[in-house]
Amino acid sequence: MKEEIIKFLENNPKIEKILKKDHRSYVFTFIYQNKLYVYKEPIEKNTRKWQRFLAIFRGRESKREFKQMQKINSLGFKTATPIFYEKNFLVYEYVDGRKPFINENEINLVVEELKKIHSKGFLHGDSHLANFLITNKNEIYIIDSKFQKNKYGKFGEIFELMYLEKSLEKEISYDKTSFYYKIALLFKKFLTFLSNLKNFIRRK
């Protein structure tokens, strides 16, 4: 299938929908043999010299994202099904889901999914609300994840829940009395300070 789709893409196929097109990435959907797929090209990471240097040791972004999708699916969580990757792009099956979430029940499903990830010893890696999709069957799909083993224990779990809560702009239920929460809160304030400092320097 890989060779056939590559030839199909080389012939300027009809783009169903452009999902993203900027200096960072180019993402669009296309139909091949009556099935909807996604083409994703991480432009920034393909062209920046530092990212290309790092790719020598850890592989190209498209390869790493392909492997991430395989890992997430193999662990019993849901994400898009990867089809293949090339040096500069990735192709995967389209997930018919939506975001953002619009009611309390859907938000609770996201929180429970994140806690399930934690219970198996992993971190999402970027637990912003926008990095989850929900289908019409109320299934939660993980997207744009840096899925990884949790090396930070309770601190890592709390920090991800805190990050999700911020993206929701409303409180969610988790332990906010523990030592780990207090450390995570201090770390969050430190990261905010660094971000503000960088923005201030750039404006100078």
Side-chain angles (χ1 to χ4, degrees):
M1 178 185 282
K2 176 179 176 179
E3 290 73 20
E4 288 87 348
I5 292 182
I6 289 176
K7 287 181 181 178
F8 178 76
L9 291 170
E10 288 174 345
N11 291 324
N12 298 315
K14 177 186 175 183
I15 294 174
E16 292 298 310
K17 185 177 181 180
I18 295 177
L19 303 178
K20 188 175 182 181
K21 188 176 184 180
D22 56 25
H23 71 284
R24 298 188 66 184
S25 58
Y26 181 33
V27 187
F28 64 81
T29 59
F30 65 94
I31 293 177
Y32 178 72
Q33 294 184 348
N34 298 317
K35 195 166 186 177
L36 196 59
Y37 294 92
V38 178
Y39 170 99
K40 183 175 183 179
E41 183 180 347
I43 296 171
E44 185 178 47
K45 291 185 177 179
N46 285 342
T47 55
R48 290 177 62 182
K49 291 181 180 179
W50 177 244
Q51 292 290 342
R52 291 170 66 184
F53 172 73
L54 290 177
I56 296 172
F57 305 99
R58 64 183 188 182
R60 288 273 188 167
E61 176 68 14
S62 53
K63 177 181 179 180
R64 288 188 286 120
E65 191 163 354
F66 180 91
K67 297 294 185 183
Q68 283 280 12
M69 289 179 177
Q70 285 186 320
K71 181 196 292 185
I72 292 168
N73 282 318
S74 71
L75 290 167
F77 299 104
K78 289 181 170 61
T79 190
T81 300
I83 304 303
F84 70 88
Y85 66 89
E86 282 289 291
K87 182 179 179 181
N88 293 325
F89 68 90
L90 167 71
V91 172
Y92 54 90
E93 290 183 5
Y94 177 78
V95 176
D96 188 13
R98 58 180 169 78
K99 55 183 180 181
F101 301 88
I102 58 175
N103 60 50
E104 193 72 25
N105 179 58
E106 291 177 355
I107 289 171
N108 288 338
L109 288 174
V110 176
V111 174
E112 289 307 309
E113 187 70 12
L114 183 57
K115 288 181 177 179
K116 191 187 300 181
I117 292 170
H118 294 164
S119 72
K120 292 195 175 183
F122 290 87
L123 295 175
H124 181 288
D126 190 4
S127 56
H128 192 281
L129 178 63
N131 290 333
F132 295 87
L133 292 178
I134 189 167
T135 69
N136 290 332
K137 296 180 180 179
N138 282 338
E139 296 175 314
I140 301 297
Y141 277 72
I142 303 165
I143 61 173
D144 291 336
S145 169
K146 302 296 184 288
F147 214 77
Q148 58 189 285
K149 272 285 188 181
N150 182 7
K151 301 175 183 177
Y152 312 102
K154 287 293 182 183
F155 170 78
E157 294 177 13
I158 293 289
F159 191 80
E160 287 212 320
L161 287 163
M162 186 183 293
Y163 189 61
L164 175 61
E165 185 175 62
K166 182 181 178 182
S167 70
L168 288 168
E169 297 183 350
K170 63 177 295 181
E171 289 195 8
I172 58 177
S173 176
Y174 63 99
D175 186 4
K176 298 178 183 177
T177 62
S178 70
F179 168 77
Y180 302 103
Y181 175 80
K182 293 173 184 176
I183 296 298
L185 190 60
L186 285 173
F187 186 61
K188 177 186 170 185
K189 289 179 179 178
F190 174 69
L191 291 179
T192 301
F193 168 76
L194 283 182
S195 177
N196 292 337
L197 180 61
K198 287 178 182 178
N199 290 333
F200 175 77
I201 293 172
R202 288 192 187 114
R203 289 194 296 267
K204 284 294 185 178

